[in-house]
Amino acid sequence: MEENSTQKHTNNHAIICPLHLQGHINPFTKLSLNLASKGVTVTFLIFEHVQQEITKASGCNSNNPFEALSQGSNLVGDIRYRVISDGLPLDYDRSGRLMEYLHWFMVGGLYDQVENAIGNIVLESRPKVNVLIFDTFYPWASKLAKRFGLRCASFWTEPATVFSLYYHVHLLRQHGHFDCPDNRKDPIDYIPGVNSIEPKDLISYLQDKDTSTNMHKLLFQAFQDVRLVDYVLCNTVQELEPHTISTLQTLLPFYPIGPILLSGPTKTRIPTSLWAESDCSEWLQSKSPGSVLYVSFGSLANFSKNDVMEIAYGLRDSHVDFIWVLRPRTVLDETSDVLPLGFEDEVRGRGTILPWTDQIMVLSHPATGGFLTHCGWNSILESIWYEVPMLCFPVFTDQITNRKLVVDDWNIGVNLCKESTIQRVEIAAQIKSFMNQKPREELKKNIRVKRNMLQNALEADGSSQKYVNKFIEELSK
Ligand code: UDP
């Protein structure tokens, strides 16, 4: 599904709208390219505050960043770019005031903003818009599609296993594993398509005691709404989660079309990062193959200052070479330096600490031998794609369940810690043993098998390719 693959013009026109978060913007961008390369006209909706952050981070102020790929022979098709306001001031702190923002998202003014924009696009665009492809987290996507007489596809950017758990939250409630004064602790063996799972491996929101938050409300509403859509597209692969996917397919039109990864020229030419990327290629170049541990906890996870200290000391005492992405505001409310005094001097030459980087470049570099990850789903797919075994430290949301897939089910990664509390001695010992050649060889063998699955799914007769084609055929009917 490369963006220069054969283009056949269709009369389909999709309005595509990601969530405002990094882990959603990336796969939505690539999905747009995939569909456009197959002749679907795409209007990509992006919120002004997101556009502003991307522009600030990349220094690229284009009216349509997709055009950067259309130069030369690399035709990507017809992708239009529409910047809209979410109705709040640009400097409103959406992550700091998350629960308030979610209220705006669910029942506040966001719906009206998006409805207005879509109304205009529908009115003026040719070919006529026939489908909305919205992030599954938009709890009103089906209503919006109905309002304009359009079909609705929901794009789920996490694994099918996680989808099935949310989709069947009522069963967890009925059986007393969720939302009860005293949740059951025994394994859960009744979720369609999900093999027995321990309550500790459930998505963090399904382990919470307080289920009345706006986050929970949003999730419950979104998974009611997804029952009303025409298609669910998922960034996974049939062969990776066969039982879960085939079971879901008996319940709803579920299309596994992954892996949808930003890579190659797409990654370098279309700016999507919300933070400026620091270049560490020269530094990596100076390291021997497979010697560097890449450490990143993605775009959302927050830590206490103490946890950051323990990770820092663990890295220092492991004596391995590392790149650590320490995003701004990893420690919320912390304005001053969060690293131990003198840390950067102590690890100089051996470790480099960056606010953000080009993760694809790092993972694809021969010097990178391991990935200490929070288990975000994009990071897992990227790690499999570049055959980098994982050392897992999930923090919240789907990361908890994703860890189970990586470590317990697929054996392509190991746990960083036994408990959720982290201590420098354990971290240092685990990193040292992980980066030691022997155990990593076994993980690498397993990860190669998964990589082949992903690769095969993208071949002309591969499962994901067939599902994308089927989706487009369905739209044309
Ligand atoms: N990423 C990046 N540079 C970094 C860290 C992360 O480009 O320094 C990208 C990464 O490649 C992935 C996305 O940000 O595509 C993070 O998504 P993921 O689902 O892994 O985690 P989330 O941020 O949603 O928790």
Side-chain angles (χ1 to χ4, degrees):
M1 266 183 280
E2 274 311 303
E3 51 272 9
N4 56 359
S5 60
T6 342
Q7 254 188 74
K8 219 169 46 175
H9 183 73
T10 68
N11 264 331
N12 297 313
H13 184 166
I15 298 180
I16 294 192
C17 187
L19 220 54
H20 62 288
L21 305 171
Q22 190 75 72
H24 298 249
I25 295 165
N26 291 2
F28 268 83
T29 301
K30 182 65 176 159
L31 174 66
S32 302
L33 288 162
N34 289 349
L35 293 176
S37 75
K38 288 173 174 288
V40 177
T41 297
V42 170
T43 296
F44 191 88
L45 277 193
I46 187 138
F47 293 112
E48 201 179 358
H49 67 96
V50 179
Q51 160 70 1
Q52 198 189 46
E53 283 174 60
I54 294 175
T55 303
K56 201 168 110 202
S58 65
C60 157
N61 193 1
S62 164
N63 287 334
N64 184 351
F66 288 98
E67 275 169 8
L69 269 187
S70 298
Q71 290 152 6
S73 58
N74 240 343
L75 297 170
V76 293
D78 185 358
I79 308 188
R80 304 158 192 189
Y81 197 72
R82 186 67 78 101
V83 183
I84 65 166
S85 165
D86 69 354
L88 293 169
L90 280 173
D91 61 356
Y92 179 87
D93 183 4
R94 289 161 184 81
S95 42
R97 297 165 76 173
L98 182 66
M99 290 302 157
E100 191 183 274
Y101 181 62
L102 291 181
H103 187 262
W104 178 255
F105 194 95
M106 277 183 292
V107 290
L110 186 65
Y111 177 87
D112 294 339
Q113 296 287 326
V114 178
E115 188 193 50
N116 249 329
I118 291 190
N120 289 332
I121 299 167
V122 165
L123 207 65
E124 71 199 25
S125 305
R126 294 293 174 271
K128 278 188 180 169
V129 177
N130 59 346
V131 63
L132 296 186
I133 305 181
F134 267 55
D135 204 296
T136 308
F137 285 102
Y138 287 101
W140 30 254
S142 74
K143 176 177 156 193
L144 195 60
K146 208 165 159 203
R147 157 89 179 77
F148 293 104
L150 305 171
R151 274 182 265 182
C152 189
S154 193
F155 181 33
W156 180 242
T157 58
E158 297 174 11
T161 304
V162 171
F163 184 95
S164 190
L165 289 167
Y166 278 135
Y167 192 81
H168 294 105
V169 65
H170 58 286
L171 294 182
L172 291 169
R173 254 198 208 102
Q174 272 168 27
H175 286 81
H177 278 107
F178 174 64
D179 212 3
C180 299
D182 204 4
N183 288 339
R184 278 169 59 181
K185 306 272 184 307
D186 56 329
I188 298 153
D189 58 3
Y190 48 80
I191 299 294
V194 179
N195 292 334
S196 182
I197 180 168
E198 302 276 343
K200 72 166 178 50
D201 293 325
L202 287 176
I203 306 143
S204 68
Y205 301 124
L206 299 183
Q207 295 192 45
D208 285 342
K209 283 271 166 238
D210 179 4
T211 61
S212 66
T213 70
N214 283 346
M215 180 55 84
H216 289 87
K217 285 183 192 143
L218 172 68
L219 286 165
F220 302 151
Q221 283 181 28
F223 275 83
Q224 281 307 316
D225 190 72
V226 84
R227 289 164 201 269
L228 305 174
V229 305
D230 301 292
Y231 320 94
V232 177
L233 311 176
C234 181
N235 191 8
T236 189
V237 168
Q238 180 95 47
E239 292 76 8
L240 202 57
E241 302 181 272
H243 174 51
T244 315
I245 291 170
S246 57
T247 308
L248 282 172
Q249 285 171 334
T250 64
L251 304 171
L252 75 171
F254 193 87
Y255 291 58
I257 56 164
I260 301 179
L261 307 166
L262 273 177
S263 58
T266 313
K267 175 72 194 81
T268 47
R269 287 204 246 148
I270 301 189
T272 57
S273 277
L274 299 172
W275 296 272
E277 293 174 358
S278 301
D279 183 11
C280 54
S281 50
E282 219 171 280
W283 187 88
L284 273 171
Q285 212 52 42
S286 69
K287 300 292 172 188
S288 51
S291 66
V292 174
L293 179 71
Y294 170 58
V295 185
S296 167
F297 302 105
S299 63
L300 295 171
N302 296 117
F303 291 91
S304 68
K305 187 166 178 171
N306 186 57
D307 283 350
V308 172
M309 292 278 183
E310 291 303 305
I311 295 168
Y313 287 126
L315 282 166
R316 183 194 66 184
D317 298 344
S318 72
H319 300 290
V320 306
D321 290 351
F322 66 89
I323 294 173
W324 182 7
V325 172
L326 192 57
R327 209 185 63 241
R329 295 182 80 191
T330 292
V331 177
L332 277 178
D333 310 327
E334 195 62 46
T335 43
S336 59
D337 200 355
V338 291
L339 288 170
L341 202 67
F343 174 74
E344 288 180 73
D345 287 331
E346 283 185 273
V347 298
R348 197 171 302 285
R350 187 164 73 70
T352 180
I353 300 117
L354 311 167
W356 196 253
T357 190
D358 177 350
Q359 178 161 303
I360 295 289
M361 186 284 290
V362 175
L363 290 175
S364 61
H365 198 283
T368 304
F371 183 6
L372 170 46
T373 173
H374 69 309
C375 297
W377 185 239
N378 293 287
S379 292
I380 291 172
L381 291 176
E382 291 160 8
S383 217
I384 296 176
W385 190 255
Y386 294 105
E387 300 180 21
V388 181
M390 286 162 268
L391 186 54
C392 298
F393 185 64
V395 181
F396 75 142
T397 182
D398 61 319
Q399 299 154 22
I400 312 292
T401 309
N402 301 348
R403 181 219 62 86
K404 176 193 182 288
L405 296 175
V406 169
V407 178
D408 305 347
D409 297 357
W410 301 336
N411 196 14
I412 55 175
V414 293
N415 296 327
L416 176 68
C417 305
K418 280 191 219 74
E419 306 293 334
S420 57
T421 50
I422 49 176
Q423 282 168 354
R424 66 186 78 174
V425 180
E426 191 182 8
I427 295 173
Q430 264 304 79
I431 291 177
K432 225 191 260 179
S433 117
F434 175 72
M435 291 305 281
N436 169 312
Q437 280 301 329
K438 278 235 163 61
R440 246 187 328 149
E441 278 315 310
E442 177 70 21
L443 299 174
K444 273 169 103 167
K445 215 172 72 201
N446 297 335
I447 214 166
R448 211 160 291 137
V449 175
K450 300 295 178 201
R451 159 63 151 104
N452 289 339
M453 275 181 189
L454 303 200
Q455 171 83 56
N456 292 339
L458 298 184
E459 299 295 330
D461 59 348
S463 58
S464 294
Q465 194 69 254
K466 281 185 186 163
Y467 279 113
V468 176
N469 292 341
K470 187 170 165 219
F471 172 61
I472 296 173
E473 275 162 31
E474 289 286 326
L475 292 183
S476 306
K477 278 181 193 163

